[in-house]
Amino acid sequence: ETGVTQTPRHLVMGMTNKKSLKCEQHLGHNAMYWYKQSAKKPLELMFVYSLEERVENNSVPSRFSPECPNSSHLFLHLHTLQPEDSALYLCASSLSHRATSGNTIYFGEGSWLTVV
Amino acid sequence: DQQVKQNSPSLSVQEGRISILNCDYTNSMFDYFLWYKKYPAEGPTFLISISSIKDKNEDGRFTVFLNKSAKHLSLHIVPSQPGDSAVYFCAAGLSGGSNYKLTFGKGTLLTVNP
């Protein structure tokens, strides 16, 4: 039990589909993140939300659209994706978005996305 | 250009021996370093961190060493256990800065053989 839960764990979608990834954190944190992990690449930050406000959009294509309705929930809406977008998408949260001792990032288990 | 490099994609160690995982960084501004562990089908979990004011931080079987002049850090696991088999990620950032400025390495797969 990580305190950060993601659904679905696995998703296969066509390039014309619209789908969403969901993340929920039960830790009372104020910052939430989306990361992408492709094969043989480091974790890449996609988006950061702090108190429901987006504070970072790390040059992510518009076919990925985040939504943070409250500090406990984060969505990643997907549409017209490409096969190269197939990856593990990790949600994470932390107390704040500041890198200080004790303010650790907690990750969810990830959503495996395959675009066909 | 990768600012955080884990040059060994994999490492195999016998149970009870020491595991040493290495990480190099290029940005001399980094002053906050972390190690995460990841099991298959799970998200990364925080293991240990160190700030640049220290050269060593210990937590049970896990010790992180920082060599600022060499821009190198290492994670020592002693004694290694089969349950330590996982992918280990090194991350670096600026303390007091934003977490989202953490830069991760590609990871090293550690296998501890019984």
Side-chain angles (χ1 to χ4, degrees):
Chain A
E1 179 69 40
T2 66
V4 180
T5 55
Q6 291 186 239
T7 55
R9 295 294 310 279
H10 298 271
L11 177 64
V12 179
M13 62 185 287
M15 289 189 284
T16 58
N17 291 162
K18 284 187 180 182
K19 298 284 184 184
S20 296
L21 305 179
K22 179 184 174 183
C23 176
E24 184 174 359
Q25 57 97 0
H26 316 276
L27 301 168
H29 289 166
N30 293 319
M32 295 189 76
Y33 312 78
W34 280 114
Y35 280 86
K36 175 183 176 183
Q37 186 170 32
S38 305
K40 299 183 181 179
K41 285 189 174 182
L43 278 168
E44 299 173 63
L45 178 70
M46 299 177 73
F47 301 103
V48 183
Y49 277 82
S50 178
L51 294 170
E52 302 142 48
E53 184 180 333
R54 191 191 310 180
V55 296
E56 179 79 5
N57 175 351
N58 209 24
S59 303
V60 180
S62 59
R63 57 186 184 269
F64 295 92
S65 174
E67 179 190 0
C68 187
N70 54 64
S71 59
S72 299
H73 292 87
L74 186 64
F75 294 89
L76 187 63
H77 302 300
L78 315 167
H79 72 99
T80 59
L81 295 192
Q82 305 297 313
E84 58 264 30
D85 295 322
S86 299
L88 176 67
Y89 289 84
L90 288 159
C91 175
S93 72
S94 62
L95 198 56
S96 83
H97 66 280
R98 298 290 177 193
T100 55
S101 177
N103 185 26
T104 305
I105 294 180
Y106 292 85
F107 287 89
E109 294 177 324
S111 295
W112 283 99
L113 173 67
T114 303
V115 182
V116 296
Chain B
D1 185 33
Q2 268 191 274
Q3 294 189 69
V4 176
K5 296 180 183 179
Q6 293 178 256
N7 290 320
S8 298
S10 64
L11 173 68
S12 186
V13 169
Q14 207 62 30
E15 181 179 5
R17 307 292 290 268
I18 184 171
S19 295
I20 300 177
L21 297 118
N22 294 304
C23 179
D24 296 294
Y25 60 96
T26 57
N27 188 342
S28 57
M29 299 295 290
F30 288 145
D31 64 354
Y32 182 58
F33 305 90
L34 308 92
W35 284 94
Y36 280 82
K37 177 167 83 171
K38 183 180 183 302
Y39 292 118
E42 294 185 14
T45 54
F46 171 74
L47 200 53
I48 193 168
S49 66
I50 188 168
S51 74
S52 59
I53 62 172
K54 292 185 173 183
D55 53 21
K56 176 182 171 181
N57 189 23
E58 193 171 348
D59 183 2
R61 296 185 297 113
F62 301 90
T63 303
V64 57
F65 293 92
L66 176 62
N67 182 334
K68 290 184 289 293
S69 60
K71 297 195 190 70
H72 177 84
L73 67 155
S74 60
L75 174 69
H76 293 213
I77 307 174
V78 181
S80 302
Q81 299 172 354
D84 296 327
S85 298
V87 178
Y88 289 78
F89 293 97
C90 161
L94 300 173
S95 62
S98 299
N99 267 329
Y100 61 75
K101 295 303 184 188
L102 286 179
T103 302
F104 286 83
K106 289 184 181 181
T108 297
L109 173 63
L110 172 66
T111 303
V112 180
N113 301 303

